[in-house]
Amino acid sequence: MESPSQAYPTPVVGQDKVQPGFWAHTALKNPWPRGKRVRTRPETLLHELQTASLRREPGVRTLKNGEDFYYTIGTKTANIEALLVQSIGERIDIEEACDSCQRHQGPFTSCVIAPDLRHLLTTCANCHWGSKGQRCSFTSQPPVAHTTIDKPETLEELEETLAKEILARDSAIAAFHEHNRRIKELLSTKATILAEKQQEITPKLPS
Ligand SMILES: [Zn+2]
Ligand SMILES: [Zn+2]
């Protein structure tokens, strides 16, 4: 007979593993009674994701006992969903990660979202864990690469969205030029300093 520790291996601590492992496969299999019930209902994350492809084995921040982890996952639908999204979703680069993930909150090391299912999950998986989704900055500010614009219903709405986008683009361009100007200034200052240093160390020619 297998001992519990062998039945439920310790989750990977640290970075996600490229190869989906025990916890990714278990998330997809969804053996938890609560999870099985929810999965039968259309328009739920677990229903929508039951045929998703696994993309990684999620890494956790701190060492966990496999049996406890398994039990904790099964206590909340949100935890089952979080583990699954963490295993199949789109990983956000750390600079773009939600505020909570940048502050190292949540059980997982990376910030992962389900981009095609934003109508079912607006937060990252890490914040969704334990139903703490309201803390996720993605609820109000989704990562830029994954922002979609709702199709405007009227011409006025379209004009308004268009004006906002143009304004956002122009401010980004202005910021770009501003940074460019400062970089040029710094580079020219650097060149001057280097030139002065060069003069200092060049031996003076006898007059
Ligand atoms: Zn996050
Ligand atoms: Zn989050």
Side-chain angles (χ1 to χ4, degrees), residues 98-101 111 123-127 135-138:
C98 78
D99 293 352
S100 295
C101 285
C111 187
T123 74
C124 74
N126 223 357
C127 290
R135 74 176 178 202
C136 191
S137 55
F138 288 168

Side-chain angles (χ1 to χ4, degrees), residues 16 45 49 52-56 58 81-94 96-98 101 108-118 121-127 136 138 142-148:
D16 300 330
L45 264 182
L49 293 175
S53 329
L54 295 173
R55 291 168 79 172
R56 67 188 68 83
E81 292 170 338
L83 180 68
L84 184 55
V85 170
Q86 195 72 19
S87 309
I88 60 104
E90 180 116 1
R91 191 164 50 204
I92 307 295
D93 292 342
I94 184 67
E96 298 275 313
C98 78
C101 285
F108 304 111
T109 28
S110 60
C111 187
V112 176
I113 59 165
D116 303 330
L117 296 171
R118 266 192 72 79
L121 185 68
T122 53
T123 74
C124 74
N126 223 357
C127 290
C136 191
F138 288 168
V144 178
H146 298 280
T147 318
T148 49

Side-chain angles (χ1 to χ4, degrees), residues 2 11 19 25 27 54 59 89-90 100 104 114 119 133 140 148-149 183 197:
E2 278 184 328
Q19 200 64 31
H25 284 285
L54 295 173
E90 180 116 1
S100 295
H104 308 291
H119 58 295
S140 52
T148 49
I149 295 169
I183 287 169
K197 274 198 190 303

Side-chain angles (χ1 to χ4, degrees), residues 11-143:
V12 172
V13 179
Q15 297 296 303
D16 300 330
K17 288 265 178 295
V18 177
Q19 200 64 31
F22 175 86
W23 292 102
H25 284 285
T26 305
L28 195 60
K29 226 183 288 163
N30 185 4
W32 298 275
R34 180 189 302 271
K36 280 188 196 163
R37 277 199 304 277
V38 175
R39 186 170 55 190
T40 60
R41 300 205 296 266
E43 280 301 300
T44 59
L45 264 182
L46 293 179
H47 183 84
E48 299 288 327
L49 293 175
Q50 57 187 333
T51 55
S53 329
L54 295 173
R55 291 168 79 172
R56 67 188 68 83
E57 176 71 355
V60 294
R61 295 191 200 284
T62 53
L63 185 65
K64 290 186 194 320
N65 171 283
E67 211 181 2
D68 294 347
F69 191 50
Y70 183 89
Y71 173 80
T72 310
I73 296 164
T75 57
K76 279 197 160 107
T77 305
N79 292 357
I80 304 170
E81 292 170 338
L83 180 68
L84 184 55
V85 170
Q86 195 72 19
S87 309
I88 60 104
E90 180 116 1
R91 191 164 50 204
I92 307 295
D93 292 342
I94 184 67
E95 317 82 67
E96 298 275 313
C98 78
D99 293 352
S100 295
C101 285
Q102 293 207 24
R103 284 196 303 266
H104 308 291
Q105 287 173 333
F108 304 111
T109 28
S110 60
C111 187
V112 176
I113 59 165
D116 303 330
L117 296 171
R118 266 192 72 79
H119 58 295
L120 295 175
L121 185 68
T122 53
T123 74
C124 74
N126 223 357
C127 290
H128 190 51
W129 177 275
S131 311
K132 300 203 178 66
Q134 66 280 7
R135 74 176 178 202
C136 191
S137 55
F138 288 168
T139 50
S140 52
Q141 259 191 327

